[in-house]
């Protein structure tokens, strides 16, 4: 390839790439293409374009051939060379395309460039290999954009022929695309091929939902896929032997280890032939027999070190370790999983994990209760967890309560004694006694769900719905596995939002309003509208600001205010009530700052301050003069006093009419028919710009090209018709900053700042009983969950009241410390005063037929320290036979005093019922009794 030297200086190259990158990254979306480029080459290019102007060569970028010994300027980089990112080509390698090294780290080994940036660099420098990757939606909410650097690598096994091949495919591709690709690789007729999930070389599921994505099907990296050819003579799937000699019969039944290859409790493979360590395989009976020796030990730990075994941290797995230790030290589970529980494994339950999760958990529990204190590495269990719950795969930090909820539900389904669930139609109460209806609901539940988990952890609450129109009352009794209690002192919340005008009538102003804690965005907008005196023909556009850019518009009125964190930054823009043919003009501020990592004092334009927003009518053409006029109007409230009225900044007329004034602008020859758009309908082209100073504006056009609006004649601008926004940058020079007071833009307050704790808050901590009362309080349903009233025949916003009806032997309580905000989590550090002994729930149980007191005692809890992203989990656990508390911090275990159990880090509490024969007494006010109990603990 013959390379022509681009006629650009290093500085020009840098500015060109910078402008392209800013425009491209601002509009990145799913399906876009990014390119990997080696960090080594990128660093060489950065040093080249950032060299001082005094050392630049006279011919700029053609310096590749100059004599570097005789010049202090840096040599222009040669062709792009990404060879250090890939494996060297080897004969016999499967055709998966260019293979990246498996351990590359972004920012260390490579960086990702938008397609537009790569295309420009490639046009200048050329090079190979080209490494393109797609942008996908990721995260639990599927709203986070990420580049899929490593698509799935799948091992395809053709049966009965026995051929193997490796292929790369995006996890967002469908099963149908994988089926098509497999047929192409092995040259097969698609009508005669089916593919199976072949995890651990065993048929798990027929992959026949062609529209389902591989991500939704839980397909993992390096997973095996069975490509099976259908017998043309019989029309059935060909029976064959797999690589281990086990018979594949095409069914989903879970067979004995002596007949097929599968992993026992996540340990060594037990299959025909020999196991991984070379010994002959064990059948299930011998495994049971060996395990019974553990069951005979019981749960006693007195005089021994049983139960004091830690778990190694495999890399951010403290969330898993803490939850597992609490379950392992639940006495009922410790007994159950150390005895012969295999007969209760439900291998046919479509909602379960063919018993593999229960086996893996049981195996881990036995190891943790075995004599000795050598820490255990829970790798086999984590592998099973990643298999069946891919959201917990990898080594990122996760929420221990979310893991706990999955484990309890998964273990229940794997151990459900009901093999064939009957269909049972629920009946309404229809005035029948609560006791009768509750027992009927519970019997129906047990008929479909019967396991050790239900025996120990499941309770029942009463749910009462009341129609606000006809007063129809609906009562149901539903099971629960744990209680998630809110941490709330009050029901209201103060929020601070800065309101900006776009018509030049007023400078920005911050307003603090009081809204319901569990309210919606519409509540916030309504409160702001009243406080800022919003006019009838105006509306507020709410936006979240991050990194001096608009992160997102909060246009949905039903967005929960709980999703907005106290340290978020919000702006509200007053705009006219226009409904059609309008776009938002986003004005992003930039100022000169020193480039990050620059050692030569190179300055660059960096975003700062708070963006401004105006609406703009798009029926006619938009010119550079229109943009200049609108921006002048948006900035006019910030003009310093000595510049107000100066024609260079305000011109001879008002460019944009106020929303309350629809009369023609002063000096305009054409009437403004729309608020905020008079600049567009005033004097056309350059004539209206005669007296206005041209601001240093940069317009991003439909092709993501940056156009300088401060030079040249007035011109028509082309914008993207698909984007809801028009992007304009203003570059604030030191000279321009002298004319405007921009402090309004620079200090956007947080939504709420926690003030110093008051004396009352320190002396009267939040009680666990108060959290429970908040959970049980009657509240109206949120609009999206409205109830269909059978009497009104319409959906109604009914009121809902919960009551505890039946309590479990082990009561798990989750303190809701984390609030969720669009893939972000915010933690409440509230100290909750929870009882260690005598947690009395008697007066909270609606079923009054039980004459016994409902007393519970704390025996375990998980703690979370620090923030969600970088925090750490531990567990406090009481060995009941020793009557002593221990701190379980991954592999390290140490005794602690009972007084140290309570802290603001407490997250999930485990209570066990206290057996008592004492009759229920009339103890008067429950609230005062509870406070007395707490003060004594």
């Amino acid at each position: 390839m013959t390379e022509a030297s681009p006629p650009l200086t290093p500085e020009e190259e840098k500015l060109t790439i910078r402008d392209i990158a800013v425009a491209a990254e601002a509009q990145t979306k799913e399906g876009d293409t990014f390119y990997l480029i080696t960090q080594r080459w990128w660093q060489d290019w950065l040093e080249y374009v950032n060299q001082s102007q005094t050392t630049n060569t006279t011919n700029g970028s053609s310096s590749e051939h100059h004599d570097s010994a005789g010049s202090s300027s840096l040599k222009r980089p040669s062709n792009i060379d990404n060879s250090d990112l890939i494996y060297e080509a080897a004969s016999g390698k499967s055709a998966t395309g260019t293979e990246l090294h498996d351990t590359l780290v972004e920012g260390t080994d490579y960086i990702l460039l938008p397609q537009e940036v790569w295309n420009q660099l490639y046009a200048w420098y050329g090079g190979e290999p080209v490494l393109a990757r797609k942008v996908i939606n990721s995260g639990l909410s599927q709203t986070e954009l990420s580049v899929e650097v490593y698509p799935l690598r799948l091992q395809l096994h053709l049966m009965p022929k026995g051929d193997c091949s490796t292929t790369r495919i995006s996890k967002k591709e469908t099963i149908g695309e994988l089926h098509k690709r497999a047929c192409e690789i092995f040259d097969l007729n698609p009508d005669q091929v089916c593919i199976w999930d072949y995890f651990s070389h065993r048929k798990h599921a027929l992959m026949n939902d062609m529209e389902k994505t591989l991500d939704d099907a839980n397909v993992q990296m390096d997973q095996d896929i069975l490509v099976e050819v259908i017998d043309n003579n019989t029309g059935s799937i060909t029976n064959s032997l797999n690589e281990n000699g086990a018979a594949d019969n095409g069914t989903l039944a879970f067979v004995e280890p002596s007949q097929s290859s599968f992993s026992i409790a996540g340990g060594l493979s037990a299959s025909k032939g020999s196991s991984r360590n070379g010994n002959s395989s064990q059948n299930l009976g011998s495994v049971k027999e060996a395990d019974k020796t553990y069951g005979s030990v019981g749960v006693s730990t007195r005089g021994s070190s049983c139960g004091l075994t830690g778990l190694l941290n495999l890399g951010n797995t403290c969330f898993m370790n803490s939850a597992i230790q609490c379950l392992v030290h639940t006495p009922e589970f410790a007994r159950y999983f150390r005895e012969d529980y295999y007969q209760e494994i439900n291998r046919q339950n479509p909602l379960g994990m063919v018993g593999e999760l229960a086996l893996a958990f049981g195996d881990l529990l036995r190891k943790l209760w075995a004599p000795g204190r050598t820490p255990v590495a829970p790798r086999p269990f984590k592998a099973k967890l990643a298999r069946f719950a891919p959201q917990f795969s990898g080594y990122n930090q996760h929420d221990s309560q979310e893991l706990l909820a999955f484990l309890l539900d998964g273990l229940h389904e794997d151990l459900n004694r009901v093999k064939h669930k009957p269909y049972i139609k629920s009946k309404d109460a229809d005035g029948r006694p609560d006791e009768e209806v509750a027992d009927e609901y519970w019997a129906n539940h047990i008929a479909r769900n019967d396991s050790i988990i239900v025996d120990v952890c499941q309770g029942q609450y009463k749910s009462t719905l009341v129609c606000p129109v006809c007063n129809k009352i609906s009562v149901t009794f539903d099971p629960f596995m744990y209680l998630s209690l809110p941490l709330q002192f009050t029901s209201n919340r103060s929020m601070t939002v800065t309101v900006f005008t776009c018509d030049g009538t007023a400078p920005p102003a911050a307003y603090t309003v009081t809204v319901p804690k569990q309210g919606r965005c519409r509540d916030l907008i309504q409160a702001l509208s009243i406080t800022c005196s919003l006019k009838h023909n105006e509306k507020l556009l709410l936006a979240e600001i991050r990194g001096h850019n608009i992160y997102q518009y909060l246009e949905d009125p039903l967005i929960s205010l709980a999703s907005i964190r106290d340290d978020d930054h919000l702006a509200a823009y007053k705009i006219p009530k226009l409904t059609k043919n309008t776009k938002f003009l986003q004005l992003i501020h930039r100022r000169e700052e020193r480039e990050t990592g620059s050692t030569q004092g190179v300055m660059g334009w960096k975003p700062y301050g708070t963006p401004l927003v105006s609406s703009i009518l798009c029926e006619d053409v938009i010119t550079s003069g229109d943009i200049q006029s609108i921006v002048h109007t948006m900035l006019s409230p910030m003009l310093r006093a000595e510049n107000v009225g100066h024609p260079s900044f305000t011109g001879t007329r008002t460019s944009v009419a106020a929303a309350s004034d629809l009369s023609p602008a002063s000096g305009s020859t054409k009437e403004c028919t729309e608020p905020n758009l008079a600049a567009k309908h005033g004097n056309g082209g350059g004539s209206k710009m005669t007296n206005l100073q041209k601001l240093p504006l940069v317009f991003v056009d439909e092709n993501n090209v940056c156009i300088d609006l401060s030079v040249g004649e007035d011109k028509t601008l082309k914008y993207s018709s698909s984007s809801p926004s028009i992007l304009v940058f203003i570059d604030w020079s030191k000279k321009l900053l002298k004319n405007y007071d921009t402090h309004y833009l620079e200090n956007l307050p947080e939504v709420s700042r926690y003030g110093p704790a008051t004396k009352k808050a320190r002396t009267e901590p939040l009680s666990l009983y108060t959290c429970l009362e908040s959970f049980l309080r009657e509240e109206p349903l949120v609009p999206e969950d409205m109830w269909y009233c059978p009497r009104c025949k319409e959906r109604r916003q009914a009121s809902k009241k919960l009551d505890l009806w039946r309590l479990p032997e082990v009561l798990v309580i989750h303190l809701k410390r984390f609030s969720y905000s669009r893939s972000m989590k915010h933690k409440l550090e509230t100290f909750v005063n929870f009882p260690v002994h005598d947690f009395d729930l008697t007066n909270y149980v609606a079923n009054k037929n039980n004459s016994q007191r409902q007393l519970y005692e704390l025996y375990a809890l998980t703690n979370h320290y620090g923030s969600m992203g970088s925090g750490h989990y531990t567990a406090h656990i009481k060995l009941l036979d020793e009557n002593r508390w221990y701190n379980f911090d991954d592999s390290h275990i140490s005794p602690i005093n009972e007084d140290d159990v309570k802290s603001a880090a407490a997250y999930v509490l485990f209570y066990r019922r206290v057996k008592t024969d004492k009759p229920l007494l009339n103890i008067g006010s429950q609230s005062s009794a509870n406070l007395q109990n707490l003060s004594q603990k």
Side-chain angles (χ1 to χ4, degrees), residues 794-818:
E794 291 186 25
R795 303 190 72 83
R796 301 294 189 192
Q797 190 174 11
S799 62
K800 183 176 183 178
K801 174 72 171 69
L802 293 179
D803 291 290
L804 301 179
W805 186 266
R806 188 188 310 265
L807 294 179
E809 291 300 307
V810 170
L811 178 62
V812 181
I813 295 180
H814 163 225
L815 303 178
K816 297 174 69 172
R817 293 196 177 277
F818 301 107

Side-chain angles (χ1 to χ4, degrees), residues 612-886:
L612 298 180
V613 174
S614 180
S615 55
I616 183 168
L617 189 64
C618 299
E619 288 181 341
D620 303 322
V621 296
I622 297 177
T623 67
S624 56
D626 295 331
I627 302 297
Q628 287 281 354
S629 296
I630 293 174
V631 174
H632 267 287
T633 301
M634 295 167 71
L635 298 177
S636 61
M638 292 178 287
L639 271 174
R640 298 190 185 276
E642 60 270 20
N643 294 318
V644 174
H646 193 286
S648 295
F649 300 102
T650 60
T652 58
R653 58 178 177 81
T654 302
S655 300
V656 181
S660 58
D661 182 9
L662 302 185
S663 60
S666 175
S668 173
T669 59
K670 184 175 182 181
E671 181 178 352
C672 173
T673 59
E674 295 286 355
N676 278 355
L677 302 174
K680 183 167 182 54
H681 296 284
N683 294 332
S687 61
K688 64 183 175 187
M689 292 299 300
T690 303
N691 297 321
L692 285 176
Q693 173 189 355
K694 284 191 176 182
L695 295 169
L697 304 180
V698 177
F699 175 84
V700 181
D701 72 1
E702 60 181 348
N703 296 317
N704 287 334
V705 175
C706 295
I707 300 175
D708 189 350
L709 302 186
S710 63
V711 296
E713 297 297 324
D714 195 16
K715 50 198 169 191
T716 300
L717 303 175
K718 295 182 179 181
Y719 52 87
S720 172
S721 59
S722 59
S723 174
S725 299
I726 295 175
L727 196 61
V728 177
F729 296 98
I730 179 170
D731 294 334
W732 290 92
S733 63
K734 292 182 179 179
K735 179 179 178 182
L736 186 61
L737 284 171
K738 293 180 180 179
N739 298 321
Y740 290 88
D741 184 0
T742 58
H743 84 274
Y744 295 104
L745 306 174
E746 297 169 1
N747 301 300
L748 192 66
E750 294 180 352
V751 167
S752 176
R753 285 186 177 273
Y754 287 116
T758 63
K759 183 177 181 181
K760 180 178 180 181
R762 291 195 299 269
T763 58
E764 297 182 12
L766 181 63
S767 161
L768 184 62
Y769 291 103
T770 303
C771 298
L772 180 60
E773 289 162 5
S774 177
F775 173 74
L776 299 176
R777 184 181 299 122
E778 182 176 358
E779 291 182 344
L781 295 175
V782 294
E784 57 265 37
D785 292 334
M786 290 202 302
W787 171 63
Y788 180 80
C789 176
R791 183 179 295 169
C792 296
K793 306 298 183 184
E794 291 186 25
R795 303 190 72 83
R796 301 294 189 192
Q797 190 174 11
S799 62
K800 183 176 183 178
K801 174 72 171 69
L802 293 179
D803 291 290
L804 301 179
W805 186 266
R806 188 188 310 265
L807 294 179
E809 291 300 307
V810 170
L811 178 62
V812 181
I813 295 180
H814 163 225
L815 303 178
K816 297 174 69 172
R817 293 196 177 277
F818 301 107
S819 59
Y820 297 77
S821 172
R822 300 167 301 281
S823 305
M824 301 293 291
K825 297 182 180 181
H826 176 60
K827 183 183 177 184
L828 297 174
E829 300 284 357
T830 308
F831 173 76
V832 178
N833 194 358
F834 52 88
V836 176
H837 304 284
D838 297 332
F839 182 32
D840 193 348
L841 296 175
T842 306
N843 282 16
Y844 294 96
V845 178
N847 182 6
K848 301 306 179 184
N849 284 352
N850 193 333
S851 60
Q852 298 298 316
R853 294 182 66 182
Q854 304 292 316
L855 291 178
Y856 285 83
E857 180 182 65
L858 187 75
Y859 73 92
L861 69 153
T862 64
N863 303 294
H864 182 268
Y865 302 91
S867 63
M868 186 61 197
S870 58
H872 181 61
Y873 286 97
T874 67
H876 292 337
I877 295 172
K878 183 179 183 179
L879 292 189
L880 300 179
D881 288 335
E882 294 185 8
N883 194 31
R884 189 173 187 181
W885 284 91
Y886 290 87

Side-chain angles (χ1 to χ4, degrees), residues 14 27 71 83 166 192 215 248 307 310 379 384 462 469 516 534 567 578-579 606 629 663 665 724 740 828 932:
K14 181 182 73 171
Q27 301 188 36
S71 171
S83 60
T166 303
Q192 298 178 342
D215 193 17
D248 281 325
R379 288 190 179 88
K384 293 295 182 186
K462 175 185 176 182
V469 178
L534 194 71
D567 56 355
L578 302 175
T579 58
K606 301 289 186 180
S629 296
S663 60
Y740 290 88
L828 297 174
Q932 184 178 3

Side-chain angles (χ1 to χ4, degrees), residues 112-370:
L112 292 167
L113 300 178
Q115 182 172 2
E116 296 84 351
V117 175
W118 167 263
N119 288 345
Q120 185 60 71
L121 287 174
Y122 189 78
W124 289 339
Y125 292 94
E128 59 181 9
V130 178
L131 305 173
R133 294 295 187 265
K134 291 293 185 180
V135 175
I136 62 172
N137 281 324
S138 62
L140 290 179
S141 60
Q142 292 294 303
T143 57
E144 303 174 37
L145 292 178
S146 63
V147 178
E148 190 178 27
V149 175
Y150 289 100
L152 292 174
R153 181 173 53 209
L154 303 179
Q155 313 298 327
L156 305 181
H157 301 268
L158 178 62
M159 292 296 176
K161 190 174 180 181
D163 291 350
C164 295
S165 182
T166 303
T167 187
R168 285 277 190 180
I169 187 171
S170 171
K171 63 182 180 180
K172 293 301 180 181
E173 287 288 4
T174 62
I175 291 176
E177 177 60 29
L178 176 60
H179 182 275
K180 176 183 176 183
R181 187 172 301 185
C183 294
E184 291 173 349
I185 291 174
F186 294 120
D187 193 20
L188 302 172
N189 183 347
D191 296 332
Q192 298 178 342
V193 171
C194 62
I195 57 176
W196 294 79
D197 180 344
Y198 202 43
F199 180 76
S200 295
H201 283 200
R202 180 182 168 277
K203 292 180 180 177
H204 276 269
L206 179 64
M207 301 173 70
N208 57 359
D209 186 349
M210 297 301 176
E211 300 301 319
K212 196 173 189 178
T213 67
L214 301 178
D215 193 17
D216 292 337
N218 292 344
V219 176
Q220 300 293 304
M221 180 69 75
D222 291 324
Q223 186 165 318
D224 295 298
I225 300 294
L226 180 65
V227 182
E228 196 155 27
V229 180
I230 299 174
D231 193 323
N232 289 326
N233 297 325
T234 64
S236 61
I237 298 174
T238 303
N239 291 332
S240 61
L241 296 179
N242 63 20
E243 293 176 343
N244 293 321
D248 281 325
N249 56 12
T251 68
L252 298 180
F254 188 92
V255 296
E256 297 289 271
S258 59
Q259 298 171 321
S260 178
S261 171
F262 84 110
S263 177
I264 297 180
L268 297 179
S269 175
S271 60
K272 277 193 172 182
S274 60
S275 62
R276 202 171 295 175
N277 59 4
N279 299 325
S280 59
S281 62
Q282 299 174 321
N283 60 33
L284 192 57
S286 62
V287 174
K288 291 181 182 178
E289 184 175 348
D291 285 341
K292 285 182 179 179
T293 60
Y294 291 105
S296 63
V297 178
V299 296
S300 174
T301 60
R302 192 179 301 279
S304 72
S305 60
C306 293
L308 292 178
T309 302
L311 288 167
L312 292 175
N313 192 319
L314 306 178
N316 286 324
T317 56
C318 57
F319 77 96
M320 180 181 76
N321 293 348
S322 61
I324 287 175
Q325 292 286 15
C326 289
L327 291 180
V328 162
H329 287 85
T330 298
E332 292 83 354
F333 294 156
R335 282 191 293 268
Y336 178 84
F337 283 100
R338 292 158 74 187
E339 295 173 354
D340 186 6
Y341 68 94
Y342 300 96
Q343 60 186 355
E344 293 196 340
I345 291 179
N346 189 334
R347 299 184 174 99
Q348 287 78 43
N349 188 354
L351 300 179
M353 282 136 274
V354 291
E356 292 196 29
L357 183 67
L359 287 167
F361 179 79
D363 180 70
L364 182 58
L365 181 145
R366 290 164 184 258
K367 292 177 181 177
L368 293 175
W369 276 103

